[in-house]
Amino acid sequence: MTSGGRSRSGMLNFFILESQNMNADGKCSFDEQEGKNGLGNHEHADYIVTGAWSSKAAEEAEKYIKVKKVFQPSKPYVTVPDQEKWTHDEKAAYLYYCANETVHGIEFTPTAPESHNVPLIADVSANFMARPFDFKDHGVVFGGAQKNLGAAGLKIVIVRKDLIGKKQGITPAVFSYKEIIANNSLYNTPPTGGIYTPNLVLKWIKAKGGLQTIYELNLKKSGLIYGIIDNSNGFYHCAVDKRYRSIMNVCFRIGGASGNDELEEKFLKGAIERNMISLKGHRSVGEIRASLYNAITLEETQVLATWMNEFEKQYNTN
């Protein structure tokens, strides 16, 4: 279930958890472990809802604490409202946000939201190890390893030391960060195979030149696809505010802002013929979604770019 250790600074504790609370998209929600561990005596928590996964996280958190949303979410999810318009509460247990919304292609970039003097709780499932991350003001940083770090079923949890032990009375010992530390991360048998895989991935990242190099490559990949979209005279359309476009998940429609189902089906069929799969967007929103996680190379991204250019040349009548 668990593995981990202490940072040299003594400020953070790091855990790897075998996670049973993944959803169909492989995404973690802030529920069992984090919700039961971080409440203390607080009555409510603040939530930033910017897409499907932060919305689900807020719903799950309501099982354990009163949830206050710092702004009223509006669909479709295409942006993050200006922070000066948010309503914060300094008595909140924490302020939660999802660093990258995979379904809608929204990412907090280049920095995290302002904490307003409460611990930030970040779900980094989709962009952990894809870009440098500033831990300043964060109390808990967690995420599934399956996007950029390892295999599905493993969760990374990084906890600020002063928050450990502030769990609810109903928290099972196996989910308690305090118990994990007391038992040297061996409360039960850790998933050694799942832990070994991130070790190999981290060595691969280091061999590539480190996290900054990986980040610069991800910028090139996403920039290549966004550039085609923006220069297509509306044939390809990305509704996401450019300030918050994800470098991991590029979501767009074909044939205009509302999309053309026939054209999108043709595009997906042609992509499969060119050995590109899983470009169909999430079942809840449709559209096209190009997921450019670390394992996707610039050369592979160029294959998609070439197909997009060919398809536009054939079908764009504007």
Side-chain angles (χ1 to χ4, degrees):
M1 194 74 182
T2 63
S3 183
R6 301 174 187 269
S7 72
R8 292 181 180 178
S9 68
M11 295 299 292
L12 297 174
N13 282 266
F14 171 79
F15 308 104
I16 297 178
L17 293 150
E18 183 181 11
S19 178
Q20 302 301 324
N21 55 327
M22 297 281 189
N23 49 52
D25 195 51
K27 200 79 165 56
C28 292
S29 60
F30 183 78
D31 47 23
E32 297 279 350
Q33 289 95 321
E34 287 72 36
K36 291 177 181 176
N37 272 283
L39 303 182
N41 296 319
H42 294 276
E43 296 182 354
H44 69 274
D46 282 351
Y47 271 69
I48 301 169
V49 176
T50 54
W53 302 122
S54 51
S55 177
K56 291 177 184 293
E59 291 176 7
E60 287 296 314
E62 287 175 347
K63 298 175 182 178
Y64 310 107
I65 195 170
K66 181 179 179 181
V67 168
K68 292 184 178 180
K69 298 173 183 177
V70 297
F71 57 81
Q72 185 58 42
S74 61
K75 297 181 181 180
Y77 298 112
V78 294
T79 190
V80 178
D82 293 336
Q83 294 192 40
E84 58 266 22
K85 298 178 181 178
W86 299 1
T87 302
H88 294 275
D89 192 327
E90 62 182 14
K91 295 181 180 179
Y94 55 81
L95 174 61
Y96 164 94
Y97 73 102
C98 181
N100 185 89
E101 292 278 4
T102 57
V103 172
H104 300 92
I106 297 174
E107 182 175 16
F108 275 93
T109 176
T111 59
E114 296 179 13
S115 67
H116 288 264
N117 300 315
V118 301
L120 286 174
I121 307 295
D123 178 351
V124 296
S125 296
N127 62 356
F128 190 52
M129 302 308 296
R131 63 187 309 146
F133 186 86
D134 186 357
F135 285 88
K136 181 179 180 292
D137 297 328
H138 285 78
V140 179
V141 176
F142 74 98
Q146 71 281 350
K147 304 298 186 183
N148 290 313
L149 194 57
L154 201 71
K155 183 193 292 185
I156 305 298
V157 184
I158 303 170
V159 187
R160 203 173 73 196
K161 192 173 182 179
D162 65 294
L163 296 180
I164 293 171
K166 297 182 178 181
K167 62 184 184 297
Q168 287 185 311
I170 63 171
T171 305
V174 73
F175 291 153
S176 167
Y177 300 150
K178 185 177 180 180
E179 291 293 336
I180 293 170
I181 293 171
N183 288 275
N184 195 30
S185 296
L186 293 171
Y187 186 85
N188 62 339
T189 305
T192 53
I195 294 169
Y196 183 65
T197 303
N199 176 49
L200 297 177
V201 174
L202 289 171
K203 289 179 178 178
W204 174 81
I205 290 174
K206 185 176 181 180
K208 286 285 186 180
L211 193 55
Q212 184 62 33
T213 299
I214 293 292
Y215 176 43
E216 291 171 2
L217 180 60
N218 286 331
L219 287 174
K220 289 180 181 178
K221 293 187 299 183
S222 58
L224 179 62
I225 303 304
Y226 283 126
I228 293 172
I229 293 169
D230 292 341
N231 291 293
S232 68
N233 197 26
F235 181 71
Y236 296 118
H237 178 79
C238 176
V240 177
D241 184 337
K242 290 184 179 181
R243 297 174 298 169
Y244 297 102
R245 283 179 171 180
S246 170
I247 63 171
M248 293 284 94
N249 309 101
V250 181
C251 300
F252 60 97
R253 302 304 304 260
I254 301 177
S258 299
N260 181 304
D261 291 341
E262 182 179 353
L263 284 177
E264 290 179 351
E265 286 300 320
K266 289 181 178 179
F267 180 85
L268 293 169
K269 182 176 183 295
I272 292 173
E273 293 171 352
R274 290 161 176 79
N275 297 316
M276 291 180 286
I277 61 173
S278 299
L279 282 168
K280 185 176 178 60
H282 193 273
R283 61 189 178 280
S284 64
V285 295
E287 66 188 16
I288 309 296
R289 179 176 62 168
S291 292
L292 305 175
Y293 299 118
N294 288 355
I296 301 297
T297 66
L298 183 59
E299 291 74 21
E300 290 167 335
T301 308
Q302 185 61 59
V303 174
L304 172 60
T306 299
W307 172 228
M308 290 176 69
N309 285 328
E310 291 176 356
F311 193 81
E312 179 188 354
K313 184 178 181 179
Q314 183 175 356
Y315 293 103
N316 191 355
T317 57
N318 291 336

